[in-house]
Amino acid sequence: MKNLRERVLRGESLLGMWLNIGSSLTAEIVGKSGFDWTLIDLEHGAGTEADVLHQVQALESTPAAVVVRVESHARQRVHRMLDLGAHGIMFPRVNTADEARAAVATMRYPPEGVRGMAIMNRACEFGATHKEYLAAANGTLLSIVQIETSEAVENVEAIAAVEGVDVLFIGPWDLTHSLGITAQFDHPLFQEAIRRTAQAAAAQGKTAGILLQKSGDAGHYLTAGYRFLACGSDGGLVYNGARALAGTLREALAKHA
């Protein structure tokens, strides 16, 4: 099992990319490209739960770990993703410590949590390694909660203190919108939220993470204490690459018109 949580707890700086197309092929390409982790996005991505299996299978042969962003902390939803073999779950819009505790509980088997017991699934190699998986899962699966609202920022110290929360991950677009400064990522209000979240994470021995708007922002956020960084998406790469190529070709056409 790719122990992403162990690497996070060691304090490594880890790089990830969003997978929002729902394609097993682009998932495999990203997984082989040098990222430490990938995120299959069920909140906003085009893929459905049925597409997750094929993406997880494609990523199995790559160095990248698999995180799935679910739509909520509904117990059954989280269980299905973990049973398919996800190494971590990202929970969007966690606003309070109680919500964080409920999210973490779905990640862990009783008595530490409320995850249902099953052994005939992919995570347990269809029963072949169920004893090993059941013994290790509570300590190896990564729990990521997103700080995406002004309410979450006000409660960030309490959220960070919840046992089992591993990463506090800033959602820049939602957070700036909630703060009334949509997409103003240099605004003092947003930068103060960045500072406060990193400080809260560090005080509890947790990790701060963020989705970068551009790769050039990495240095700024590493300096600010962020170690779990994501940038870009498979859909964005395809779109930007196709648009750049079409633009170059149309410039050539215009010169020879």
Side-chain angles (χ1 to χ4, degrees):
M1 184 177 185
K2 300 170 186 174
N3 199 329
L4 183 63
R5 184 171 190 255
E6 183 179 275
R7 297 183 69 187
V8 167
L9 294 179
R10 284 203 303 258
E12 290 188 41
S13 295
L14 301 171
L15 303 175
M17 177 178 279
W18 251 235
L19 300 174
N20 58 19
I21 293 179
S23 165
S24 60
L25 289 175
T26 58
E28 187 173 15
I29 290 168
V30 171
K32 290 181 179 293
S33 65
F35 288 93
D36 300 296
W37 58 278
T38 58
L39 182 128
I40 299 172
D41 189 5
L42 288 181
E43 185 189 20
H44 292 300
T48 67
E49 184 179 282
D51 299 308
V52 173
L53 171 60
H54 305 296
Q55 293 176 86
V56 173
Q57 288 174 322
L59 287 160
E60 187 72 23
S61 64
T62 79
V66 181
V67 176
V68 178
R69 179 162 71 172
V70 292
E71 303 94 321
S72 72
H73 58 253
R75 184 172 65 89
Q76 296 86 346
R77 187 57 142 179
V78 175
H79 293 181
R80 286 183 63 81
M81 299 302 101
L82 295 178
D83 287 349
L84 287 177
H87 304 111
I89 299 292
M90 180 179 284
F91 297 92
R93 204 168 286 241
V94 173
N95 292 322
T96 67
D98 285 342
E99 290 178 3
R101 275 188 284 270
V104 170
T106 67
M107 301 285 293
R108 297 184 169 185
Y109 293 116
E112 296 177 45
V114 297
R115 182 179 176 186
M117 301 286 289
I119 64 171
M120 190 51 62
N121 57 50
R122 192 172 176 281
C124 295
E125 297 185 21
F126 309 102
T129 58
H130 70 278
K131 291 181 180 179
E132 295 87 347
Y133 182 84
L134 296 178
N138 282 5
T140 55
L141 295 171
L142 186 71
S143 299
I144 307 165
V145 299
Q146 286 201 263
I147 305 301
E148 299 189 281
T149 67
S150 56
E151 181 183 5
V153 174
E154 287 305 306
N155 293 320
V156 72
E157 290 82 11
I159 293 171
V162 172
E163 182 181 355
V165 167
D166 299 312
V167 179
L168 280 68
F169 195 92
I170 296 287
W173 280 85
D174 278 307
L175 182 51
T176 55
H177 186 72
S178 176
L179 293 171
I181 51 170
T182 304
Q184 297 180 52
F185 305 114
D186 293 326
H187 195 285
L189 281 177
F190 180 68
Q191 289 302 314
E192 171 59 19
I194 292 296
R195 184 203 62 78
R196 185 170 173 180
T197 299
Q199 188 174 60
Q204 297 295 333
K206 309 299 175 67
T207 295
I210 191 168
L211 177 61
L212 304 175
Q213 298 308 298
K214 57 184 184 298
S215 60
D217 293 338
H220 170 73
Y221 286 103
L222 287 166
T223 300
Y226 285 72
R227 292 290 177 267
F228 197 76
L229 305 180
C231 188
S233 67
D234 56 351
L237 289 178
V238 172
Y239 175 75
N240 291 330
R243 185 171 181 176
L245 177 59
T248 298
L249 293 172
R250 290 203 174 277
E251 286 178 8
L253 287 175
K255 291 179 181 177
H256 291 83

